[in-house]
Amino acid sequence: MPIHIAGRRRSRVSIEAAHPGAVILDVTSRAEPPWVRLSPFYPHGDIPVPFSPGVTGQSVEGIWQALKVFATADVDEAKLKITSMKGLKRTVRKYGGVLGHRAGLRGETLLSYEEARRRIYLPTYRWMLENRTADLVADLKELSHSGDVVLLDYTTNGDVADPSSPLSHAALVGLYVEDRWPADRGGT
């Protein structure tokens, strides 16, 4: 059965009404163990940073934020070390417009938003799924064979090419479990 994605802010009653009998799992940074481990904010440690041989980060979100380049700020290597799941975000309010994501900590190339999703976020999150949360992925596969599963996230956008809203990691989990992972171009 397919894995469904729902907004975490939606009422439990409305989710249950839309998906009667489904297993509902929060996979955000506010989730309970063990499902919080699927959050990109979770500090698994030793996650390879794309385009940066030998460099690792604590979390997927830390890597994503570290490589972001703004009008007034370049990469921020300190984001790679954060283990608290807090203080990871870097915002346009503080640093001005986003110019792109750097292809590696020392790279010269700036990637567009979609290209960064494909070459940084997708391979990093997939690495996490395969190397840090394979047990949870296996559990989700089993659960989805038994009935409907709804994963809760703050956003529900599962289209890498749609820049109108942030990419939902819960949608990526669903796509991965269903063997429908979006095309990426790998971070090397």
Side-chain angles (χ1 to χ4, degrees):
M1 300 197 158
I3 293 181
H4 307 280
I5 310 305
R8 185 182 190 278
R9 292 180 180 97
R10 206 169 138 192
S11 79
R12 185 121 183 144
V13 171
S14 77
I15 295 169
E16 289 171 349
H19 305 282
V23 173
I24 301 170
L25 300 170
D26 184 347
V27 294
T28 69
S29 60
R30 296 185 184 264
E32 295 295 321
W35 303 106
V36 67
R37 292 175 38 223
L38 291 171
S39 167
F41 288 76
Y42 192 85
H44 292 283
D46 295 326
I47 301 170
V49 176
F51 306 103
S52 303
V55 179
T56 61
Q58 294 296 317
S59 68
V60 172
E61 187 67 22
I63 292 168
W64 179 252
Q65 294 294 331
L67 296 177
K68 197 183 287 186
V69 176
F70 295 86
T72 65
D74 207 326
V75 297
D76 184 352
E77 202 165 341
K79 298 298 180 187
L80 300 176
K81 297 175 178 70
I82 295 174
T83 59
S84 64
M85 295 200 298
K86 295 177 184 341
L88 287 165
K89 294 279 190 175
R90 299 172 70 208
T91 65
V92 296
R93 176 180 283 168
K94 186 170 183 180
Y95 299 110
V98 176
L99 303 179
H101 280 73
R102 194 161 299 285
L105 289 172
R106 311 283 177 259
E108 295 182 18
T109 304
L110 278 185
L111 304 172
S112 69
Y113 191 49
E114 181 182 343
E115 196 68 13
R117 281 180 170 183
R118 292 187 187 279
R119 299 184 74 194
I120 296 170
Y121 198 88
L122 289 180
T124 304
Y125 195 76
R126 183 175 183 147
W127 188 95
M128 185 207 79
L129 290 174
E130 293 173 349
N131 295 279
R132 296 292 187 260
T133 60
D135 58 329
L136 298 179
V137 170
D139 291 347
L140 284 172
K141 282 186 182 187
E142 192 170 312
L143 285 170
S144 70
H145 290 308
S146 304
D148 282 349
V149 175
V150 178
L151 299 180
L152 303 181
D153 197 354
Y154 289 104
T155 62
T156 58
N157 176 19
D159 182 357
V160 178
D162 177 3
S164 67
S165 68
L167 192 58
S168 164
H169 71 278
L172 292 179
V173 171
L175 292 170
Y176 186 81
V177 168
E178 296 169 355
D179 294 320
R180 298 186 307 120
W181 190 256
D184 65 50
R185 293 176 183 88
T188 56

